[in-house]
């Protein structure tokens, strides 16, 4: 036996403790003799006081720290343990109540018993103690005592379920709120199952916020210390398996109780010590750990309470700390483990020796946890949240050198997620969750890899001297580098004798030695904590040795050389362990240890070469493969996972494999997948290298069928605009956004309106030095806005039609017009009353003021462009510009001056709201400014467009103001008459006719003949002269076509002027007679005149519907019924059918707008301002506000109705329905537009429209098919019973229509000499596919679901 030299103080402590034991023994013997057996078991008094035992605890701890307890005679220690055992029996079974305090007998006996257990564990846990002291019964008795007081005196005060089990039968105690106020999360979950007894008033202090007795916290503190001593006992003594399992059982149960964090911290040590010292029981401990995990809450503020060394890092869960510590403590490393030994051992040894136990139990834990998914789901356990919490904690631990096991746990989880437990599972939810976890792990690994690339700490050490290292890293780091280099030199010299010729990197070995020394120096003085930190050091050595053994094999083939080899690591392990005391002393003397930030950097560089980091590319490939999964939600989860990885390292987007995979998913059948892909790309569109690659793909998704996808694309493009310097791409994006104003979703429309309002009608930005802009700065900024506006407008104008340019006048559905209308009204209901009343101070008034400023800026831009000498022109290739020009239907490159764009901008504001054109100071300023441009005689497309725009503005201003000076009116009428006689463009003729009619309504007071009558007389005279001729020359043919067109529009807009004048030669009746005379001409060369005459009749009927009827007021002899029926027959020429349908459509639209006009209250003679509702705004045609003389034409149910719309619609409804399936696509489209108007106004019974709408679902023309489906969907929603009733008739019509399409395709193919049978079969197959893909959604089924239903019935 080796004797230790002791100082005088240590000898005094040794003798004092011996004397104390003797005194306690004498006192115990005397007390036992004085008491009877019945008194011996009473709890009314105890043998030793708390003060006596506290003094014994202090002395025993002092001797244990000095390692002198083993020198005390075993007889004295055995006698002391006997006395302490008696105190344990005296306090066993005692329970605290709400009135208990530290002075009560129960509390005093419990505290004495806990001190007795503490003394006993100090003695038993000391080194080199006699074997006769370790009695299994005594250890079992202490464990039972600790477990009893944990459950009955701690748990019941913090958890309602434990109270219900252990205290509810007593009938008194705490009410539910008092017991559970410390654990609100568990109380809510268990309130339904807890049926606690009511509390006596004396046991409750209602004024206290916490009714738990203070003595409970004292007992909890002592119990936490005992759990730590039990952990130390397990490390020193081989405890029986039954006791070990009992310890781990109540140790793990501590984690299910809230607000006992000190106990939980000590319970971690207990469970880890049992897992480390009992390899055969690890399976049972792991099962209990998993069961405890399933009992834990998955959310809440208090689920993470385990403090980490870094103050800036969030805490982790206690259960995560237990799992990681257990796995980490299972690793062993010593010189006896040779290279390759793990593969040569038996299966039993593999689970207990070396690095393999960590692998085994990590795989076992994750496999069992993932396999329990279904059972946990049946028990309503949120296992998804529990696993997510574990992964989050492990990702947090990934940067800590004290927790190297986190990398292994995540690696094992990834291997399970890549198997049938994860992305290969048959359950969709599991595959989704597995992809989410893999995405989080891969993203973290990519982020760490990217950080390591920029933080080359290995090169830093190689490049810098000791002085530089000391200046940048501190004295502690410089000392650590020197110490590590010395250790490496010593290790390499010692290991060279072993003859292991392996390639290694000495510089990397130095870094590893620094990291290992840092972890070695973090060991606390507590033996239990010391062993825990020692397990981190052991784990690191075992990990490094394993990687060195397997270098160059498998996925490690591309990894750089290891720092050293196994023998070198074993020598370094021996060096560090042999200098433990010196290291601790050095750490205590050194005021500047190794900075933690540098240790974290070292550990990150070290982890980069571990298997988990090396597998990141494999994980990412599996994520890409998951994009082809059969389930939509799984593919969406894969996209989100890739999004996480790309966010960590955006360079991945440049990989060709990623680019092709993303482009495939952009057209995925699942809206969720496309939405996720768009989100992924939208986060990186601000980077130029990726914007060029994916810009077109994102732009295509703006017309996606998914509303969420369209909204995301719009937001992405909006943010992209703010950082985009290229103006052409900006205009292209804005053009695409403008077309989304016609989106079916109102949210998308509002988003588009908000974007354009911010661009064109937002507040002017302030200057750098002043709060307000100067007049010059304001003018310049408005000029820039105006230029931007007209550029976007021109791009939209050139894209809205397949012929290259949109037709004028622009409709209210034109994108820019619709945007302005929505912008100028805060809501759809306010559109009707936008200009009514006082608008000052409102949001609308601000937008209107800014719109007025924009109009003025556009006008100024027009004037500047006209004055600019040799104005810049932009070439535009137009396939077919205007139908009635001398050009053929080919592509031409036409040049348009930039002034045309500004004129078009004024026209857009005119269509949006004509009151914006009327100034407050000079209402007719625009007429004065634009009138000179009417005198131009160029007869070309550019001048024609500019003339139409100027005429539309002049007409709007004249009609709004209602007055002009005599000279201005005369000059204006003169120019308009010249245009009507010389221009060859129908658009110019239309606006000239309309404008001259508006001017003619102004009373000049001179009695002069209005210009409209003058031009009307001239054209009527000419038509009367040529009407009697059988054949017309080419010149006469052109003049007649012009006359019919102009007279038709004069009759529409100036009928009231003609009637007021009273001359029968220009009356509407006479004009109708002239038009009908040209309808009777039968020459084939004059077919276009017949069509023009029919169009003129339709324009006349718009203003005077009564002329369609006979003299008797019906559709009999003398009416237009015969002509209309002939034109609407299936055998009529295509042009006549189209024109007849257009006539009916224009008439019904005008009647619809007339019905919505509201005149001012009678007696208000100020002005005849007319208001119209939002339906006017949404009309596809013009809103005509020229209300003429009204007549009561028919009586319905005793009430007068001045509209023929109902009778006309019902009269020709059957013809329209028949033409909706006409072989000509243009006829079908116009018929469908007419059907839409009739159904919207409710003029006919809707049941008859279902057969043709269903038949048109196989139409080969996409425009027709989409319109038919939209109408069918609307009517199906309103009248579902009609759909079912007419389905049989619709199928009959469908097959007839299919035959007609077949014959039409055959004739077309023969003309073009193509394969007839192949073309016809392909067309029919595609048509029926369109039918079933359209019809099944109306029944609430997809085609796939319908097929499955049919197969299941069969």
């Amino acid at each position: 036996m080796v004797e230790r030299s002791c100082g005088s103080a240590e000898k005094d402590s040794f003798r004092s403790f011996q004397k104390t034991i003797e005194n306690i023994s004498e006192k115990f013997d005397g007390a036992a003799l004085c008491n009877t057996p019945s008194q011996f078991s009473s709890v009314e008094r105890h043998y030793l006081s708390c003060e006596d035992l506290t003094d014994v605890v202090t002395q025993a701890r002092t001797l244990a720290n000095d390692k002198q307890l083993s020198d005390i005679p075993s007889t004295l220690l055995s006698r002391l343990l006997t006395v302490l055992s008696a105190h344990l029996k005296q306090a066993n079974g005692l329970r605290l109540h709400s009135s208990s305090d530290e002075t009560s007998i129960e509390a005093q006996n419990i505290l004495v018993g806990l001190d007795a257990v503490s003394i006993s564990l100090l003695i038993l846990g000391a080194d080199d103690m006699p074997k006769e002291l370790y009695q299994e019964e005594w250890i079992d008795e202490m464990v039972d005592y600790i477990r009893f007081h944990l459950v009955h005196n701690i748990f019941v005060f913090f958890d309602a379920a434990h109270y219900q089990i252990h205290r509810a039968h007593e009938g008194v105690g705490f009410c539910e709120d008092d017991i559970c106020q410390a654990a609100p999360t568990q109380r809510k979950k268990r309130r339904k199952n807890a049926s606690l007894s009511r509390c006596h008033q004396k046991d409750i202090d209602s004024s206290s916020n916490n009714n738990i007795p203070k003595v409970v916290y004292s007992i909890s503190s002592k119990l936490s210390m005992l759990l730590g001593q039990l952990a130390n006992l397990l490390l020193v003594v081989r405890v029986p398996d039954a006791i070990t399992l009992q310890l781990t059982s109540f140790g793990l149960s501590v984690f299910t109780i809230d607000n006992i964090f000190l106990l939980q911290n000590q319970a971690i040590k207990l469970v880890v010590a049992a897992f480390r010292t009992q390899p055969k029981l690890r399976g049972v401990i792991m099962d209990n750990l998993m069961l405890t995990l399933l009992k834990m809450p998955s959310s809440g503020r208090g689920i993470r309470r385990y403090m980490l060394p870094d103050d800036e890092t969030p805490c982790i869960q206690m259960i995560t700390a237990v799992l990681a510590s257990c796995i980490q403590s299972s690793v062993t490393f010593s010189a006896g483990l040779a290279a390759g030994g793990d593969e040569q051992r038996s299966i039993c040894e593999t689970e207990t020796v070396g690095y393999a136990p960590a692998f085994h139990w990590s795989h076992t834990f994750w496999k069992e946890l993932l396999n329990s998914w279904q059972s946990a789901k049946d028990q309503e356990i949120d296992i998804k949240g529990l696993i997510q919490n574990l992964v989050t904690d492990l990702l947090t631990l990934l940067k800590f050198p004290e927790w190297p096991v986190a990398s292994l746990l995540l690696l094992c989880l990834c291997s399970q997620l890549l198997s049938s437990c994860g992305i290969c599972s048959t359950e969709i939810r599991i595959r989704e969750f597995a992809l989410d976890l893999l995405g989080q792990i891969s993203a973290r690994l990519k982020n760490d890899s990217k950080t390591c690339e920029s933080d080359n700490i290995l090169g830093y050490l190689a490049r810098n001297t000791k002085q530089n290292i000391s200046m940048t890293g501190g004295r502690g780091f410089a000392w650590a580098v020197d110490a590590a280099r010395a250790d490496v030199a010593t290790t390499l010299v010692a290991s060279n004798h072993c003859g292991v010729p392996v390639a290694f990197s000495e510089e990397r070995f130095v870094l590893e030695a620094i990291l290992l020394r840092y972890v070695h120096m973090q060991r606390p003085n507590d033996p239990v904590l010391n062993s825990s930190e020692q397990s981190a050091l052991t784990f690191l050595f075992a990990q490094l040795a394993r990687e060195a053994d397997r270098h160059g094999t498998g996925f490690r083939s591309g990894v750089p050389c290891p720092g050293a080899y196994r023998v070198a690591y074993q020598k370094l392990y021996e060096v560090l362990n042999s200098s433990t005391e010196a290291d601790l002393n050095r750490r205590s003397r050194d005021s500047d240890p190794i900075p933690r930030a540098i240790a974290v950097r070292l550990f990150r560089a070290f982890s980069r070469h571990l298997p988990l980091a090396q597998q990141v590319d494999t994980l990412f490939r599996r994520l890409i493969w998951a994009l082809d999964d059969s389930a939509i939600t799984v593919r969406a989860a894969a996209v989100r996972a890739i999004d996480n990885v790309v966010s960590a390292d955006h360079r991945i987007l440049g990989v060709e494999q990623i680019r092709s995979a993303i482009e495939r998913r952009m057209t995925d059948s699942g809206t969720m997948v496309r939405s996720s892909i768009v989100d992924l790309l939208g986060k990186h569109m601000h980077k130029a290298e990726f914007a060029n690659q994916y810009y077109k793909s994102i732009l295509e998704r703006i017309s996606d069928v998914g509303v969420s996808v369209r909204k995301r694309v719009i937001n992405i493009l909006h943010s992209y605009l703010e950082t985009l310097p290229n103006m052409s791409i900006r205009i292209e994006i804005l053009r695409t956004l403008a077309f989304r104003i016609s989106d079916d979703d109102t949210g998308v429309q509002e988003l588009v309106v908000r974007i354009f309002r911010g661009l064109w009608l937002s507040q002017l930005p302030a200057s750098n030095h002043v709060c307000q802009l100067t007049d010059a700065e304001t003018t310049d900024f408005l000029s820039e806005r105006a230029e931007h506006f007209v550029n976007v407008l021109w791009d939209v104008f050139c894209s809205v039609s397949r012929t290259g340019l949109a037709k004028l006048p622009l409709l209210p559905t034109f994108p820019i017009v619709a945007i302005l209308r929505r912008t100028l009204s805060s809501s759809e209901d306010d559109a009707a009353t936008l200009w009514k009343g006082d608008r000052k101070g409102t949001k609308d008034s601000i937008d209107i003021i800014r719109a007025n400023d924009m109009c003025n800026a556009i006008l100024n831009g027009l004037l500047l462009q006209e004055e600019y000498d040799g104005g810049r022109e932009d070439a535009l290739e137009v396939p077919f510009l205007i139908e009635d020009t001398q050009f053929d239907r080919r592509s031409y490159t036409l040049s348009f001056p930039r002034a045309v764009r500004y004129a078009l901008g004024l026209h857009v504001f005119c269509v949006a709201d004509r009151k914006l054109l009327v100034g407050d100071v000079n209402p007719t300023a625009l007429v004065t400014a634009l009138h000179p441009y009417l005198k131009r005689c160029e007869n070309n497309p550019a001048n024609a467009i500019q003339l139409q725009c100027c005429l539309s503005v002049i007409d709007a201003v004249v009609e709004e103001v209602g007055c002009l000076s005599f000279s201005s009116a005369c000059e204006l009428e003169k120019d308009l008459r010249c245009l009507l006689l010389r221009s060859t463009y129908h658009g110019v003729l239309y606006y000239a006719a309309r404008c001259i009619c508006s001017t003619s309504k102004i009373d000049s007071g001179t009695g002069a003949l209005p210009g409209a009558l003058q031009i009307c007389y001239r054209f009527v005279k000419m038509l009367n002269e040529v009407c009697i001729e059988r054949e017309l020359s080419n010149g006469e043919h052109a003049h007649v076509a012009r006359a019919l067109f102009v007279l038709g529009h004069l009759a529409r807009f100036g009928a009231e002027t003609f009637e007021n004048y009273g001359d029968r030669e220009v009356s509407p009746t006479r004009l109708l007679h002239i038009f009908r005379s040209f309808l009777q001409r039968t020459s084939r060369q004059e077919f276009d005149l017949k069509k023009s005459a029919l169009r003129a009749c339709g324009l006349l009927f718009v203003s005077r519907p009564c002329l369609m009827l006979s003299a008797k007021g019906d559709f009999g002899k003398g009416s237009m019924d015969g002509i209309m029926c002939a034109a609407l027959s299936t055998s009529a020429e295509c042009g006549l059918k189209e024109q007849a349908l257009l006539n009916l459509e224009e008439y019904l639209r005008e009647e619809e707008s007339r019905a919505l006009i509201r005149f001012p209250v009678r007696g208000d003679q100020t002005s005849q301002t007319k208001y119209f509702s939002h339906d006017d705004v949404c009309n596809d045609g013009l809103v005509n506000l020229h209300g003429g003389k009204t007549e009561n034409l028919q009586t319905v149910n005793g009430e007068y109705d001045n509209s023929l719309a109902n009778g006309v619609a019902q009269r020709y409804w059957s013809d329209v329905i028949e033409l909706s399936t006409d072989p000509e696509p243009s006829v079908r489209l116009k018929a469908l537009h007419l059907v839409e108007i009739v159904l919207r106004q409710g003029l006919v019974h809707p049941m008859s429209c279902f057969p043709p709408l269903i038949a048109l679902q196989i139409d080969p023309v996409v425009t027709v098919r989409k319109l038919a489906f939209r109408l069918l969907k609307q009517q199906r929603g309103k009248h579902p019973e009609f759909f079912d009733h007419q389905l049989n008739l619709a199928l009959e019509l469908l097959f007839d229509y299919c035959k007609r399409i077949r014959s039409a395709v055959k004739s077309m193919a023969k003309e073009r000499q193509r394969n007839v049978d192949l073309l016809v079969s392909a067309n029919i197959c595609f048509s029926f596919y369109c039918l079933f893909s359209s019809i099944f959604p109306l029944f609430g089924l997809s085609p796939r679901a319908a097929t499955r239903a049919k197969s299941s019935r069969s």
Side-chain angles (χ1 to χ4, degrees), residues 41-59:
S41 60
S42 175
V43 298
E44 294 180 358
R45 60 169 297 163
H46 43 76
Y47 302 112
L48 298 176
S49 64
C50 291
E51 291 77 10
D52 295 337
L53 287 180
T54 301
D55 183 55
V56 176
V57 170
T58 303
Q59 294 181 24

Side-chain angles (χ1 to χ4, degrees), residues 418-482:
L418 296 178
S419 66
S420 59
C421 298
I423 61 176
C424 297
S425 174
T426 57
E427 189 171 346
I428 294 177
R429 295 295 182 186
I430 295 179
R431 300 205 299 273
E432 291 179 38
F433 184 55
L435 289 171
D436 288 338
L437 296 181
L438 289 174
Q440 296 174 35
I441 297 171
S442 301
R444 175 59 184 275
L445 295 177
K446 276 290 182 183
N447 185 54
D448 290 347
S449 176
K450 185 178 179 181
T451 305
C452 287
E453 290 177 4
S454 59
D455 181 22
N456 188 8
I457 194 168
L458 181 61
Y460 167 78
L461 288 179
R463 292 190 305 267
N464 291 275
T465 62
K466 178 179 179 181
Q467 183 179 2
N468 294 335
I469 294 174
S470 178
M471 292 176 61
T472 57
R475 291 188 303 108
F477 184 50
W479 171 82
V481 173
D482 292 341

Side-chain angles (χ1 to χ4, degrees), residues 927 930-931 933-935 947-948 950-952 954-955 958 964 968-983 987-1000 1010-1012 1014-1015 1019 1042 1046 1050:
V927 178
L930 298 179
H931 185 195
Y933 301 113
L934 303 185
K935 300 180 182 295
L947 278 175
Q948 292 179 64
C950 294
L951 286 170
S952 66
I954 293 173
D955 174 66
V958 169
L964 280 177
S968 299
C970 292
E971 188 68 20
L972 181 59
E973 286 186 346
K974 178 182 176 181
D975 295 333
L976 292 173
R977 288 199 304 269
C978 293
L979 289 175
L980 290 172
L981 293 174
R982 295 177 182 177
S983 180
V988 177
L989 297 177
Y990 163 78
Y991 267 114
R994 179 168 182 170
C995 188
I996 200 171
C997 290
S998 300
T999 309
S1000 300
Q1014 295 179 25
I1015 197 69
F1019 281 130
R1042 178 195 299 273
V1046 173
L1050 290 175

Side-chain angles (χ1 to χ4, degrees), residues 745-760:
D745 185 72
T746 56
V748 175
Q749 297 176 13
E750 292 296 333
L751 199 57
V752 172
V753 171
R754 193 181 307 121
I755 292 173
F756 281 96
R757 178 186 281 124
L759 288 174
W760 296 334

Side-chain angles (χ1 to χ4, degrees), residues 808-837:
L808 295 178
L810 297 178
L811 302 178
T813 53
F814 184 76
I816 303 299
V817 175
I819 289 171
L820 286 176
R821 287 197 170 195
R822 293 284 295 273
T823 303
L824 296 174
S825 59
S826 57
S827 65
E828 295 180 359
D829 297 334
D830 294 338
T833 58
L834 181 62
W835 290 92
K836 186 177 181 180

Side-chain angles (χ1 to χ4, degrees), residues 660-703:
S660 60
I662 287 177
E663 289 182 352
R664 286 199 312 271
R665 291 307 107 196
M666 289 289 284
T667 57
D668 194 277
S669 59
T671 302
M672 186 186 304
V673 181
R674 300 194 303 274
S675 178
S676 301
I677 283 288
V678 169
D679 280 341
L680 187 155
L681 296 179
K683 297 176 182 177
H684 307 279
M685 280 295 290
H686 61 280
K687 301 180 179 65
E689 63 271 21
F690 304 129
N692 297 330
Q693 293 183 17
Y694 298 103
Y695 163 69
K696 291 294 182 182
S697 300
I698 289 182
L699 199 63
E700 291 175 357
R701 289 298 95 204
I702 201 170
S703 57

